[in-house]
Amino acid sequence: HLLLFLLFVGPFNCFASYSRATELFYSLNEGLPAGVLIGSLARDLRLPTAGGQHLASLQPPLSFTLASHGLGGQYVQLDNRSGELHTSAVEIDREALCVESSGATILGGSAAVSSSSPSPESCLLLLDVLVLPQEYFRLVKVKIAIRDVNDNAPRFPVPHIRLSVPENAPVNTRLAIEHPALDPDMGTNGVQTYRLRDNYGVFTLDVEENENGERTPYLIVMGALDRESQDEYVTVIIAEDGGTPPLVGSATLTIGISDINDNCPQFNDSQLNVTLYGNSSLGTHVATVHAVDMDLGSNAQVTYSYSQKVPQPSRDLFHLNESTGIITLSTKVDGDTPKLHRLIILGNGPGCIPAVITVLVTIIKVMMRPPEVVPRFIANEVEGVVFLKELEPINTPIAFFTIKDPDEKYKVSCYLDGDGPFGLSPYKPYSNEYLLETTKPLDFETQQLYEISIVAWNSEGFHVKKVVKIQILDDNDNSPVFSEELIELSIEENNVPNAFLTKLHATDADSGERGQVSYFLGPDAPSYFALDKTTGVLTVSTQLDREEKEKYRYTVKAVDSGFPPRESIATVTITVLDKNDNSPRFINKDFSFFVPENFPGFGEIGVISVTDADAGQNGWVALSVLNGSDIFVIDTGKGVLRAKISLDREQQSSYVLWIEAVDGGDPALSSTAKITILLLDINDNPPLVLFPQSNMSYLLVLPSTLPGSPITEVYAVDKDTGMNAVIAYSIIGRRGPRPESFRIDPKTGNITLEESLMQNDYGLYRLLVKVSDHGYPEPLHSTVMVNLFVNDTVSNESYIESLLRKEPDISVEEKQPQISIEPTHKKMESTSCMPTLVALSIISLGSIALVTGMGIYICLRKGKKHHRADENLEVQIPLNGRINLHMLEKKPVEISNI
């Protein structure tokens, strides 16, 4: 690169007046794929490409070269010919390239990535581009500003944040949360707000922004705190950025309430009455006083002392342990010792008024020595306290007690005094040995400490007590217990990721680590549900879709920390509530219905099937016709499409409707479908004769007309379609000198001359033509009279008209027109049935002809009696004078399958 640069720079010194340095500025988003156009250097530098001259046509052609392929060059691709600058395959990550806090520029040859710019949010990619040849040489400095996109979610540096608040913190106390969330994105894409998932009604959050734009969350105390009522609050702190859509991050926030000395020691009793025998030995336990302070640590330390009102002889006789509150006999009782001692004892706490209790000690003087009780402990014993595990079996031995009379004069007995699952029995064969053992199962959770006495008395009624304290040690014999075995939850679909569902709670009656509960999801729980092991907070990490799955049911476990651990199981059911997020959906986007014309009004045309994946009111669908509502109506409940009126295909052969389906959500969603209704033709229109236009019209036929020549035609149309519109022509009545001289083509209606006309054939010919369609089930027909006047000229028109006015005596021939229709498949040969079919056909045709002839004859006879002689034979066919004959094609009708 250096050699290339020197080769170019040397000659360019001579053309310094023609070269110049230029700056171009571009901007693009981070994270774009390869091949995205950044800009065209040739166009933006306005190099000579105008005037029809392309870059490639320049001699020598222009070339564009990066001065150095440094750090910035790896992110772009420069087309050496066109000068177009594109993104490369190396994706641009703004957060990796530009560290705002450092403000440093990372160089790579002549290219650099810079974040030191006038705007604190700018990140520039700097490139040096050489433009050659020397006539156009210039050094172009390209600056590409990398715009930030919201591609990073806020993230707390630690997953668990602990904060300590003194219980006497006043309302509106502000405490900074030392671990704010971090978001590499800039500006509004960075962290904007914080919130607590559960504020317990006593906390809230505020955000303060310093001069550098850093946002620090502050915990604000909104209510009174009391450590003795609740010493800890566990919640989730959520950080949210300002992107679209916003991204969130969360961490567990534990707020510990620190203790202050707001409680003083208190005795349960105000006075204790104690009896002491005068022959008691030194160190004999007299009484124990105990005061309780609800505070913690040093604030809960209690010391015991005598009040100044206690006389010194009493202080010397009885020793008070300052730490434990145990009172013991410190000197021997003699004859001068007072019988009653009033001991006023103070329970002292830091910064507190002492609690007071009075111990009244009555000394009974005796002349004999009391019985002795000598214990020998089998169970573990420390300073007069026996320790037993709660899972010890029944009849576990605790201690042997030897009972004896020191004077050996009196009989000594003993018994057990106190409540508890313990028994004292003689240990045979020895008379003075007694065994203390358990008689029932022990339960730490029911009672942890027992205090019993072994009482010995002699025959003179003198008795002594040996107090034994038994401390029950906890075993892991209790499983965690959920507050509910079936936990029923609900959440709306399309929830935000990491949405809070509930906080599970299970208790364990065991103490210490054995009572610490951890929470776990069962093996049947889907992977997108998460359960915090410590807090029991249940969340869902993804959006739920009710249409995909409406019910979730899985197990959760609560496991203690004992050995071996014990666990319990609860069932979680989650119902996903519906939101109106699905539009109604037609089974087809296009519906087609075929309906015969003249279909009765409000008859069922077809059923429009539509569904909505939503539930409840969101899934209710109402249908309506957007167009053609004056003719068509749709049943909303059943989706049945009906026409209000009878439909006529000849007026309109098809209808195109748009049906709209609207659901019952708020806001409502809708969709449309296209409905095409095609009317099927039925034979409801007889052929309409267009020519001749009147039964009174006639045509002159010259006698010289050659046989086979066309004379005229009958032309008719039928408004129906298909076979219903296939027309056949036939002559059913003739009158004239030689009426057989003319024939009609059954397909075209053309009338031709069959034989040469003679002189005695002159005169008026009247042909009754029947025009019939091929409709099913009953063909329809019309008739028309064709009048032909055979003569050389028409010399007397009035004579001809008078002949036309006379009613002709024409016998009607019911002869079916013969139209050859090409079969669509081969005829089936059947030789055996053919003669029978022919015979039956002849008989049927003969019967029809006979009945038809008789009917025509009767009608003609009645017509002669009741009508004037100048009326026509047939009823005039009403012709539509507006029919445009030029629009009708007079072609033979082809018969095809429909």
Side-chain angles (χ1 to χ4, degrees):
H1 292 169
L2 181 60
L3 178 60
L4 243 163
F5 182 73
L6 293 174
L7 288 174
F8 284 125
V9 168
F12 290 166
N13 289 335
C14 301
F15 298 95
S17 59
Y18 297 97
S19 65
R20 63 184 181 274
T22 308
E23 284 190 351
L24 292 178
F25 295 91
Y26 299 105
S27 64
L28 75 160
N29 292 339
E30 63 174 322
L32 294 177
V36 176
L37 178 64
I38 301 173
S40 174
L41 273 64
R43 181 188 63 213
D44 298 335
L45 292 172
R46 299 182 179 179
L47 293 176
T49 59
Q53 189 177 24
H54 192 267
L55 285 173
S57 64
L58 295 176
Q59 295 296 332
L62 285 172
S63 68
F64 301 84
T65 308
L66 287 173
S68 175
H69 294 278
L71 180 61
Q74 64 179 323
Y75 298 106
V76 298
Q77 289 286 347
L78 178 62
D79 191 304
N80 294 338
R81 292 296 183 187
S82 66
E84 290 185 348
L85 198 63
H86 296 82
T87 57
S88 69
V90 181
E91 185 178 288
I92 299 176
D93 185 0
R94 185 186 185 281
E95 289 74 33
L97 293 177
C98 300
V99 182
E100 181 189 359
S101 59
S102 64
T105 301
I106 308 170
L107 299 176
S110 60
V113 177
S114 173
S115 64
S116 57
S117 61
S119 173
E121 296 185 359
S122 63
C123 175
L124 298 180
L125 186 68
L126 306 180
L127 305 171
D128 289 346
V129 180
L130 296 176
V131 182
L132 299 175
Q134 60 188 16
E135 300 96 291
Y136 303 101
F137 169 74
R138 66 182 70 187
L139 176 63
V140 181
K141 290 190 174 294
V142 180
K143 295 183 179 180
I144 304 174
I146 309 303
R147 293 191 297 265
D148 182 46
V149 298
N150 192 27
D151 56 345
N152 292 280
R155 184 176 181 273
F156 287 90
V158 293
H160 199 150
I161 302 173
R162 298 193 66 88
L163 193 64
S164 179
V165 181
E167 63 176 324
N168 64 342
V171 176
N172 294 327
T173 298
R174 300 171 66 87
L175 299 168
I177 297 176
E178 298 298 333
H179 300 284
L182 305 176
D183 193 328
D185 295 324
M186 301 298 297
T188 56
N189 292 334
V191 177
Q192 298 296 317
T193 60
Y194 291 86
R195 67 177 185 272
L196 293 177
R197 180 166 292 163
D198 186 358
N199 58 20
Y200 294 97
V202 293
F203 298 106
T204 188
L205 286 180
D206 190 18
V207 180
E208 289 187 4
E209 185 174 353
N210 60 16
E211 297 178 354
N212 298 327
E214 298 176 347
R215 296 175 180 265
T216 302
Y218 281 80
L219 182 72
I220 302 177
V221 179
M222 301 298 293
L225 303 175
D226 185 10
R227 187 205 64 79
E228 287 72 33
S229 298
Q230 185 167 354
D231 60 352
E232 186 177 73
Y233 297 87
V234 180
T235 184
V236 175
I237 182 172
I238 300 173
E240 183 176 307
D241 62 23
T244 304
L247 302 177
V248 298
S250 63
T252 302
L253 177 62
T254 301
I255 305 170
I257 309 302
S258 59
D259 184 54
I260 64 169
N261 190 25
D262 58 346
N263 291 279
C264 290
Q266 290 183 353
F267 287 106
N268 292 331
D269 300 312
S270 61
Q271 180 173 312
L272 289 178
N273 296 319
V274 180
T275 300
L276 181 67
Y277 292 100
N279 60 353
S280 298
S281 58
L282 297 179
T284 298
H285 179 271
V286 178
T288 300
V289 294
H290 180 67
V292 178
D293 192 320
M294 298 299 294
D295 294 324
L296 289 178
S298 60
N299 294 330
Q301 291 181 356
V302 180
T303 60
Y304 303 93
S305 63
Y306 283 124
S307 170
Q308 295 181 358
K309 297 180 180 179
V310 179
Q312 190 63 41
S314 296
R315 296 188 184 205
D316 296 338
L317 184 61
F318 301 104
H319 175 264
L320 174 62
N321 190 306
E322 294 184 354
S323 300
T324 62
I326 297 176
I327 303 172
T328 57
L329 184 65
S330 59
T331 59
K332 194 170 182 61
V333 177
D334 55 24
D336 298 330
T337 304
K339 294 183 179 180
L340 182 64
H341 296 266
R342 188 182 183 88
L343 306 179
I344 300 174
I345 300 174
L346 306 178
N348 304 295
C352 290
I353 299 174
V356 179
I357 187 172
T358 301
V359 179
L360 291 177
V361 182
T362 302
I363 298 177
I364 301 176
K365 294 183 179 181
V366 293
M367 301 303 296
M368 65 182 72
R369 288 187 296 174
E372 293 183 356
V373 179
V374 181
R376 290 175 308 207
F377 291 100
I378 302 172
N380 184 26
E381 180 267 338
V382 178
E383 296 182 355
V385 179
V386 178
F387 295 93
L388 289 178
K389 292 184 177 180
E390 64 173 326
L391 294 183
E392 294 288 354
I394 300 175
N395 299 325
T396 297
I398 300 173
F400 277 114
F401 290 91
T402 302
I403 309 300
K404 61 182 180 178
D405 179 17
D407 297 327
E408 298 182 357
K409 295 180 180 180
Y410 305 101
K411 182 181 178 181
V412 180
S413 301
C414 76
Y415 66 92
L416 182 64
D417 184 22
D419 296 329
F422 308 103
L424 184 67
S425 59
Y427 191 72
K428 297 179 180 180
Y430 305 104
S431 61
N432 62 339
E433 296 289 342
Y434 291 85
L435 176 64
L436 179 65
E437 61 184 355
T438 61
T439 58
K440 295 179 181 179
L442 305 176
D443 188 4
F444 172 86
E445 290 72 35
T446 302
Q447 187 170 346
Q448 296 86 34
L449 181 64
Y450 294 90
E451 187 172 315
I452 59 177
S453 300
I454 310 300
V455 181
W457 83 96
N458 59 18
S459 57
E460 296 296 324
F462 193 82
H463 63 274
V464 295
K465 289 183 179 181
K466 178 63 178 179
V467 178
V468 178
K469 292 183 178 180
I470 300 176
Q471 176 68 54
I472 308 302
L473 301 179
D474 188 30
D475 279 310
N476 193 31
D477 60 338
N478 289 279
S479 299
V481 178
F482 280 99
S483 56
E484 296 177 304
E485 292 186 356
L486 178 61
I487 304 165
E488 297 179 330
L489 307 172
S490 63
I491 185 175
E492 278 195 342
E493 63 177 329
N494 304 331
N495 55 283
V496 297
N498 300 318
F500 173 82
L501 293 175
T502 189
K503 183 178 180 181
L504 303 180
H505 181 66
T507 56
D508 194 314
D510 294 323
S511 62
E513 292 185 354
R514 292 172 292 274
Q516 294 180 358
V517 179
S518 299
Y519 302 92
F520 302 94
L521 290 172
D524 54 345
S527 60
Y528 38 83
F529 288 95
L531 180 60
D532 190 282
K533 174 182 177 182
T534 305
T535 64
V537 173
L538 181 63
T539 57
V540 57
S541 61
T542 187
Q543 282 190 345
L544 300 180
D545 186 0
R546 188 203 66 82
E547 289 71 38
E548 181 179 338
K549 189 171 183 180
E550 184 177 6
K551 295 279 188 181
Y552 294 88
R553 186 183 180 94
Y554 54 86
T555 57
V556 290
K557 294 191 298 183
V559 183
D560 63 22
S561 301
F563 183 80
R566 300 173 69 95
E567 66 180 39
S568 62
I569 296 176
T571 301
V572 176
T573 62
I574 300 174
T575 302
V576 183
L577 303 179
D578 185 54
K579 292 181 71 174
N580 193 29
D581 57 345
N582 289 278
S583 301
R585 185 175 182 181
F586 289 93
I587 293 180
N588 298 313
K589 278 298 182 183
D590 294 324
F591 291 85
S592 295
F593 297 107
F594 295 88
V595 181
E597 64 173 328
N598 301 331
F599 194 67
F602 291 97
E604 180 178 326
I605 295 176
V607 178
I608 311 300
S609 298
V610 61
T611 60
D612 194 312
D614 293 322
Q617 186 172 346
N618 295 332
W620 295 351
V621 179
L623 298 174
S624 61
V625 181
L626 295 180
N627 62 324
S629 58
D630 54 337
I631 299 178
F632 296 94
V633 65
I634 191 166
D635 186 339
T636 298
K638 299 180 180 179
V640 176
L641 182 64
R642 306 176 190 274
K644 298 179 183 178
I645 60 174
S646 179
L647 304 178
D648 187 358
R649 189 202 62 80
E650 286 72 36
Q651 292 184 4
Q652 187 170 339
S653 61
S654 64
Y655 296 87
V656 176
L657 305 179
W658 289 95
I659 303 298
E660 182 182 37
V662 181
D663 63 22
D666 185 16
L669 301 178
S670 64
S671 61
T672 58
K674 181 182 177 182
I675 311 296
T676 303
I677 301 173
L678 301 174
L679 297 182
L680 302 177
D681 184 51
I682 63 174
N683 192 29
D684 59 343
N685 290 280
L688 179 63
V689 178
L690 301 180
F691 186 85
Q693 296 184 1
S694 171
N695 290 336
M696 298 297 294
S697 62
Y698 65 94
L699 180 68
L700 178 66
V701 180
L702 298 177
S704 59
T705 302
L706 297 177
S709 299
I711 303 300
T712 185
E713 69 171 340
V714 176
Y715 181 68
V717 295
D718 196 312
K719 294 181 180 180
D720 296 321
T721 59
M723 292 297 294
N724 296 333
V726 176
I727 297 176
Y729 303 88
S730 62
I731 299 175
I732 62 173
R734 303 169 184 265
R735 186 173 179 83
R738 191 155 56 100
E740 294 81 7
S741 301
F742 301 94
R743 69 175 297 272
I744 189 168
D745 190 300
K747 289 185 178 180
T748 63
N750 292 330
I751 298 177
T752 57
L753 180 65
E754 288 293 299
E755 301 175 356
S756 299
L757 297 173
M758 303 301 180
Q759 188 170 2
N760 56 355
D761 294 335
Y762 285 34
L764 180 63
Y765 291 77
R766 309 196 73 176
L767 306 178
L768 181 60
V769 178
K770 179 180 179 181
V771 182
S772 177
D773 60 24
H774 284 69
Y776 179 84
E778 186 70 26
L780 302 178
H781 69 274
S782 301
T783 58
V784 65
M785 187 70 74
V786 178
N787 301 302
L788 303 177
F789 185 64
V790 179
N791 201 6
D792 293 324
T793 60
V794 179
S795 59
N796 191 351
E797 292 185 2
S798 59
Y799 171 72
I800 298 175
E801 292 176 356
S802 65
L803 294 177
L804 295 175
R805 281 194 295 269
K806 294 179 179 180
E807 183 176 343
D809 185 12
I810 299 178
S811 60
V812 179
E813 306 172 5
E814 283 299 329
K815 182 180 181 182
Q816 296 296 329
Q818 300 297 320
I819 301 179
S820 61
I821 302 175
E822 292 296 329
T824 58
H825 54 276
K826 293 182 178 181
K827 294 182 179 179
M828 298 179 61
E829 297 182 0
S830 177
T831 57
S832 61
C833 298
M834 188 59 68
T836 304
L837 291 175
V838 171
L840 291 174
S841 299
I842 293 173
I843 294 172
S844 299
L845 289 175
S847 301
I848 292 171
L850 179 61
V851 172
T852 303
M854 293 178 65
I856 292 174
Y857 176 78
I858 294 172
C859 291
L860 290 176
R861 295 288 295 176
K862 288 183 178 181
K864 288 181 180 180
K865 295 179 180 179
H866 301 288
H867 298 282
R868 295 190 306 267
D870 56 348
E871 288 183 349
N872 295 320
L873 178 64
E874 294 290 338
V875 177
Q876 293 293 328
I877 300 176
L879 300 178
N880 189 349
R882 297 181 182 178
I883 296 179
N884 189 352
L885 296 177
H886 298 287
M887 297 297 292
L888 301 175
E889 295 182 2
K890 300 180 180 180
K891 295 182 179 180
V893 178
E894 297 293 336
I895 300 175
S896 60
N897 291 329
I898 299 177

